[in-house]
Amino acid sequence: MDGMSGPHVIRGSVALPEAELAWRFSRSSGPGGQHVNTSDSQVELRFDLAHTESLPEVWKERALRRLAGRLVDGVVVVRASEHRSQWRNREAAAVRLTALLAEATAPPPKPRRPTRIPRGINERRLRQKKQRSDTKRGRSGRDWS
């Protein structure tokens, strides 16, 4: 695992500097046994998306639009409490934040160009359909008198 002190890479050369991340620690409700009541192992990571200088302007606008429901005053909050150790929870929170921002800043997918069905395939389908219809019509017992 990489060191926590360095920047957290989102995509390419764009990374979140440690100075723009705000960490908060509190007691976790998760695993920990007797040690759980004395250690602050839950991690809350805050990143001010609205006022950051580390993201390109286009990415920032795209992320603000896509994460609008998650933001509180332009700040993204990620919590991690699944590990007993604060260090591992810090790593988990950082990974979660970078993944969230990478997804939110990704360019929109190219629009799908509809393809045309070749005429021969359509004709063959209709021909088989007619043949099946004739087979089934031949099974009815009305002409057998």
Side-chain angles (χ1 to χ4, degrees):
M1 294 189 195
D2 60 352
M4 289 299 294
S5 59
H8 308 285
V9 178
I10 294 178
R11 192 169 52 250
S13 62
V14 179
L16 299 178
E18 193 67 41
E20 290 193 17
L21 302 178
W23 299 91
R24 227 176 78 197
F25 308 101
S26 57
R27 298 219 171 123
S28 174
S29 61
Q34 293 173 331
H35 186 57
V36 77
N37 296 328
T38 60
S39 63
D40 292 341
S41 60
Q42 178 174 296
V43 174
E44 186 179 280
L45 175 56
R46 295 171 165 273
F47 176 66
D48 193 348
L49 183 60
H51 301 103
T52 184
E53 298 296 319
S54 60
L55 294 178
E57 202 55 42
V58 180
W59 286 22
K60 195 160 107 173
E61 287 170 13
R62 200 179 289 155
L64 284 168
R65 196 170 50 252
R66 289 183 183 169
L67 297 174
R70 265 195 85 140
L71 299 177
V72 179
D73 297 328
V75 177
V76 181
V77 180
V78 175
R79 282 189 190 86
S81 62
E82 59 270 12
H83 301 291
R84 290 182 182 200
S85 123
Q86 186 189 95
W87 183 258
R88 287 178 67 190
N89 280 333
R90 278 182 66 131
E91 286 183 339
V95 166
R96 213 172 286 162
L97 179 67
T98 53
L100 182 73
L101 289 174
E103 193 178 321
T105 58
K110 288 182 180 155
R112 180 186 171 278
R113 270 184 37 218
T115 54
R116 287 194 57 218
I117 299 170
R119 196 173 67 218
I121 288 178
N122 213 14
E123 286 174 357
R124 186 173 67 209
R125 180 181 65 83
L126 293 172
R127 201 168 44 248
Q128 287 173 343
K129 200 171 166 178
K130 178 97 174 81
Q131 200 173 358
R132 184 85 178 137
S133 163
D134 292 343
T135 304
K136 288 192 170 191
R137 192 180 296 115
R139 289 183 189 152
S140 69
R142 18 166 231 247
D143 299 335
W144 284 21
S145 32

